[in-house]
Amino acid sequence: MEGYRGRPWTRLPALLLACAAAAAVGECRVVHVGEAHRRSMLANGLGATPPMGWNSWNHFACDGNGEVVIRETADALVSTGLAAAGYKYVNLDDCWAEPERDAKGNLAANKKTFPHGIKALADYVHSKGLKLGIYSDAGYKTCAKAQPGSLGHEEQDAKTFASWVSD
């Protein structure tokens, strides 16, 4: 598709399409942003890269996903230089919790796969200069149906997660 001044869109990185969503006729206009302005937008420290990291589900799903794997992954992100390149997140996906909530209604780490608990794991990941992400679900069960979801426990679960990362 040809664009501004007959050049292909792919050759115009300084052009931004500004579409007014509220416009009754859906009018879009092409706005030229100067090179200096575009570079200053990149220098603000926001969005220099997308959030980058590793997710346990992508390889392990519910099989073999445990404390040892997460620690080894954190170590590998650092030792291979990926952390220095921006890979900061170690994301713990489904199947980390016990199949039922504890007596107080809290989520609890699966004792077999996370014997030291999530707080100890978070402390370890943070000691490497990385961030630990954790998955829950907006339903009654998680996607794998292996652990409780957060529906009806949203605030309680948020406080539980926060307690695992506070000093």
Side-chain angles (χ1 to χ4, degrees):
M1 177 178 191
E2 292 294 315
Y4 185 71
R5 294 186 186 163
R7 292 183 264 175
W9 288 110
T10 57
R11 296 181 188 220
L12 294 174
L15 280 180
L16 300 176
L17 288 177
C19 294
V25 293
E27 179 182 329
C28 289
R29 59 190 175 94
V30 176
V31 178
H32 183 72
V33 177
E35 182 69 15
H37 179 70
R38 187 173 68 83
R39 290 196 182 276
S40 72
M41 289 189 302
L42 295 174
N44 69 7
L46 299 175
T49 61
M52 297 188 304
W54 176 88
N55 185 301
S56 64
W57 185 264
N58 296 330
H59 182 76
F60 294 101
C62 286
D63 298 324
N65 179 19
E67 183 176 319
V68 173
V69 169
I70 302 301
R71 286 176 181 258
E72 288 175 352
T73 300
D75 292 342
L77 286 174
V78 173
S79 68
T80 61
L82 287 169
Y87 287 82
K88 300 288 184 190
Y89 295 91
V90 179
N91 295 313
L92 183 54
D93 209 311
D94 210 341
C95 306
W96 59 265
E98 287 288 336
E100 302 295 328
R101 291 175 176 273
D102 70 14
K104 294 181 182 177
N106 294 311
L107 291 172
N110 184 301
K111 290 174 185 65
K112 291 179 190 171
T113 53
F114 295 93
H116 297 101
I118 303 300
K119 176 151 180 43
L121 184 61
D123 290 345
Y124 183 82
V125 170
H126 294 159
S127 78
K128 299 288 182 177
L130 302 170
K131 298 176 183 185
L132 182 68
I134 195 161
Y135 163 82
S136 186
D137 192 280
Y140 291 111
K141 291 279 189 183
T142 61
C143 290
K145 308 287 187 247
Q147 69 186 51
S150 290
L151 186 61
H153 297 269
E154 294 87 354
E155 186 175 345
Q156 181 178 11
D157 291 353
K159 287 178 180 177
T160 298
F161 298 153
S163 75
W164 292 337
V165 295
S166 62
D167 291 325

